[in-house]
C-alpha cells in the first residue's frame, strides 16, 4: 500500500480532496418530504450493497491518497446492522481519518455510547421542527421524541459539539428558525440551516418556494445579532457568532450561495459508485473492481486508487444548479448520501 500513498486527490482546478462521504445504505426509517416520497420503493438491490470488507478496502485506499475525514451517511446509516463494527474498523485503520456521521437520530438512544466507544469523532443529527405534530407531517413517522432522546444520548456519550441540520420548507416550518436557534443555544447544539436542494426522489423541489439563505439570515437577524466567523475553509456552512457570544449558527446556501470553489468532498454510494459531487451525472464503478474474480487484493487496490483519480479528474468546477442547462442527477440524495 505504501506505493499508493504518494498520490493526492487533486482535481484539474487544484482542489485537494480530503473528505469522503460514505453512504452505508439507501434505506431510511423516516420519509422527510424534501428527501423521499412516503411511498418510495425504488431501493438499491441488497446484492449490490457493499459488504463491510469491501467498504473498508475502498476507504483504506482513499485514506492512502490523502482522505483524512470520512463521514458516514445514507439513507439512514444507523440502520446498517454492523454500524458499530464499521466505525471500529475505520477508526482502527493506520492513519485513521476523522470519523463523523450524519443521522436522523432515531437509533442513537442505544447506539450513541457504543459508537463513541468505537471511535466516532463527531455527529450531525437532523431535526427540522420542535413540534411533534409537524415532525409527523414532515416525516410521515411519529418519532419526534426518539430524535430528542437521541440528541441527549449523543451529548452524554461525549459526541459534542453536536451539530443539528435543519431544512426549512415554506409554509411548513419556515416560521421556526428563531425558536430552533433558541432551543439549540439552550441545549448547546450547533444549529445549521441547509437550503433545500433539487435532489429529492419525488421531484418536489421548486426554486420559487425554497427558503433561501438570505431569507434565513434576515429572519434570524430580527431577533439576533449575527457576526460572520472568519476562516470558512472548505466548510459548506457560513457561520455566524450569535449576539457577540462564542455560540454560532450556520447557514448552508447550497443553491443560492454555492461553495464549489473550495469543495474537498468525494462520495461513495452504498452500491460502490464513486462520485465527485452530489450533483454529478456520472459515477465511477468500484464495486465491479472489488468483485472481479481475476484480480488479487493488491491489483484491486491499485485499480480502486486509479478510479479515485479518475473520479477527481472528472470533477466539474461547480454544480451548475443555477445554469439553465442544469440536469438533476438520476439518483436522489438518499441513494447518493447526503
Ligand atoms: N438520514 C440521515 C439524516 O437525515 O441526517 C442522513 C442522510 S440525509 C440525506 C443527510 C442530510 O441531508 C439531512 O440533514 C437532510 O436534512 C438533508 N437533506 C435531505 N434531502 C435534502 C434536500 N432535498 N435538500 C437539502 N437537504 C436535504
Ligand atoms: Fe431519511 Fe435522512 Fe432522507 Fe429524512 S433526510 S428521509 S432521515 S435519508
Amino acid at each position: 500500500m505504501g506505493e499508493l500513498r504518494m498520490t493526492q486527490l487533486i482535481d484539474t482546478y487544484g482542489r485537494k480532496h480530503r473528505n469522503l462521504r460514505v453512504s452505508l445504505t439507501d434505506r431510511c426509517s423516516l420519509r422527510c418530504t424534501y428527501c423521499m416520497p412516503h411511498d418510495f420503493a425504488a431501493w438499491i438491490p441488497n446484492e449490490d450493497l457493499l459488504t463491510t470488507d469491501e467498504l473498508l478496502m475502498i476507504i483504506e485506499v482513499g485514506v492512502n491518497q490523502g482522505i483524512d475525514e470520512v463521514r458516514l451517511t445514507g439513507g439512514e446509516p444507523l440502520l446498517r446492522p454492523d454500524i458499530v463494527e464499521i466505525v471500529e474498523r475505520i477508526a482502527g485503520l493506520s492513519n485513521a481519518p476523522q470519523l463523523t456521521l450524519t443521522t436522523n437520530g432515531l437509533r442513537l438512544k442505544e447506539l450513541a455510547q457504543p459508537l463513541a466507544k468505537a471511535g466516532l469523532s463527531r455527529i450531525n443529527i437532523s431535526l427540522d421542527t420542535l413540534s411533534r405534530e409537524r415532525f409527523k407531517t414532515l416525516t410521515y413517522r411519529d418519532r419526534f421524541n426518539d430524535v430528542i432522546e437521541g440528541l441527549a444520548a449523543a451529548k452524554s456519550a461525549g459526541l459534542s459539539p453536536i451539530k443539528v441540520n435543519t431544512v426549512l420548507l415554506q409554509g411548513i416550518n419556515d416560521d421556526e428558525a428563531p425558536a430552533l436557534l433558541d432551543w439549540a443555544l439552550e441545549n448547546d447544539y450547533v444549529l445549521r440551516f441547509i437550503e433545500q436542494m433539487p435532489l429529492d426522489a419525488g421531484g418536489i423541489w421548486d426554486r420559487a418556494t425554497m427558503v433561501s439563505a438570505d431569507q434565513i439570515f434576515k429572519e434570524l437577524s430580527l431577533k439576533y445579532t449575527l457576526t460572520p466567523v472568519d476562516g470558512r475553509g472548505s466548510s459548506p456552512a457560513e457561520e455566524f457568532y450569535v449576539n457577540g457570544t462564542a455560540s454560532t449558527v450556520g447557514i448552508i446556501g447550497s443553491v443560492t450561495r454555492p461553495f464549489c470553489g473550495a469543495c474537498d468532498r468525494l462520495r461513495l454510494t452504498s452500491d460502490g459508485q464513486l462520485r465527485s459531487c452530489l450533483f454529478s451525472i456520472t459515477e465511477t464503478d468500484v464495486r465491479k473492481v472489488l468483485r472481479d474474480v481475476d484480480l488479487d487484493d493488491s491489483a484491486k487496490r491499485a485499480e480502486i486508487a486509479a478510479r479515485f483519480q479518475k473520479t477527481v479528474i472528472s470533477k466539474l468546477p461547480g454544480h451548475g444548479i443555477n445554469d439553465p442547462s442544469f440536469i438533476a442527477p438520476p439518483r436522489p440524495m438518499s441513494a447518493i448520501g447526503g
Side-chain angles (χ1 to χ4, degrees):
M1 278 169 287
E3 74 280 5
L4 300 175
R5 257 207 142 279
M6 304 314 293
T7 332
Q8 301 277 319
L9 295 164
I10 301 175
D11 71 11
T12 51
Y13 301 91
R15 293 170 296 191
K16 191 163 162 180
H17 292 75
R18 301 170 182 280
N19 187 312
L20 181 64
R21 305 216 160 186
V22 176
S23 174
L24 295 182
T25 175
D26 61 332
R27 311 318 197 248
C28 193
S29 38
L30 296 180
R31 295 290 181 273
C32 305
T33 49
Y34 53 78
C35 184
M36 58 172 99
H38 66 94
D39 55 353
F40 185 69
W43 309 114
I44 295 172
N46 275 334
E47 62 274 20
D48 287 353
L49 297 179
L50 294 180
T51 65
T52 299
D53 284 345
E54 289 172 337
L55 262 173
L56 260 290
M57 186 183 281
I58 301 169
I59 292 170
E60 197 173 3
V61 171
V63 166
N64 284 333
Q65 294 188 95
I67 294 293
D68 61 14
E69 179 178 345
V70 169
R71 174 169 295 279
L72 302 175
T73 181
E76 176 45 41
L78 300 189
L79 289 183
R80 182 105 182 189
D82 57 351
I83 179 68
V84 176
E85 183 199 334
I86 292 175
V87 167
E88 203 165 50
R89 288 184 60 184
I90 299 171
L93 291 174
S94 54
N95 299 310
Q98 282 278 308
L99 187 49
T100 57
L101 181 135
T102 302
T103 172
N104 63 25
L106 297 191
R107 296 200 63 219
L108 276 178
K109 201 172 152 186
E110 71 255 35
L111 284 174
Q113 201 78 49
L115 287 170
K117 202 162 155 235
L120 188 69
S121 323
R122 292 189 312 277
I123 198 158
N124 286 24
I125 301 170
S126 304
L127 181 66
D128 303 319
T129 176
L130 296 172
S131 147
R132 180 176 160 189
E133 274 313 304
R134 281 187 180 182
F135 186 92
K136 214 157 86 178
T137 308
L138 255 162
T139 67
Y140 284 86
R141 302 288 186 271
D142 188 8
R143 305 290 302 272
F144 174 76
N145 291 339
D146 294 306
V147 185
I148 297 296
E149 286 175 11
L151 278 155
K155 198 196 268 187
S156 41
L159 288 168
S160 300
I162 294 162
K163 292 186 179 166
V164 174
N165 292 351
T166 298
V167 177
L168 294 178
L169 302 179
Q170 196 180 80
I172 297 180
N173 63 342
D174 59 337
D175 56 345
E176 284 194 64
L180 279 157
L181 183 51
D182 281 341
W183 164 84
L185 294 172
E186 265 165 39
N187 289 283
D188 219 10
Y189 302 138
V190 182
L191 184 63
R192 291 136 42 100
F193 293 97
I194 308 176
E195 275 182 349
Q196 187 189 1
M197 292 179 270
L199 279 172
D200 57 297
I204 63 164
W205 182 85
D206 180 355
R207 182 182 298 276
T209 57
M210 62 159 280
V211 181
S212 71
D214 279 355
Q215 283 169 270
I216 298 166
F217 182 83
K218 275 190 199 134
E219 181 75 16
L220 292 176
S221 298
L222 294 175
K223 180 158 184 191
Y224 299 98
T225 305
L226 301 182
T227 319
V229 176
D230 290 336
R232 178 177 179 184
S234 59
S235 166
E238 289 181 76
E239 305 267 2
F240 301 91
Y241 293 114
V242 183
N243 288 343
T245 67
S247 301
T248 59
V249 61
I251 302 180
I252 303 182
S254 321
V255 176
T256 64
R257 299 167 74 86
F259 35 85
C260 305
C263 181
D264 67 351
R265 286 173 283 284
L266 296 175
R267 291 168 193 273
L268 175 67
T269 65
S270 55
D271 57 350
Q273 309 300 308
L274 277 173
R275 301 174 62 90
S276 61
C277 175
L278 257 181
F279 294 93
S280 304
I281 49 173
T282 57
E283 300 181 332
T284 311
D285 192 352
V286 279
R287 185 182 76 235
K288 197 167 164 204
V289 179
L290 287 158
R291 298 187 182 174
D292 186 336
V293 290
D294 294 328
L295 298 179
D296 64 14
D297 272 8
S298 150
K300 284 180 186 172
R301 286 175 191 280
E303 182 55 30
I304 294 167
R307 292 192 185 204
F308 263 99
Q309 290 296 332
K310 181 178 170 217
T311 307
V312 166
I313 293 301
S314 71
K315 184 153 170 158
L316 298 174
H319 57 43
I321 302 176
N322 301 313
D323 295 346
S325 59
F326 172 71
I327 306 170
R331 288 188 196 242
M333 174 91 121
S334 54
I336 296 170

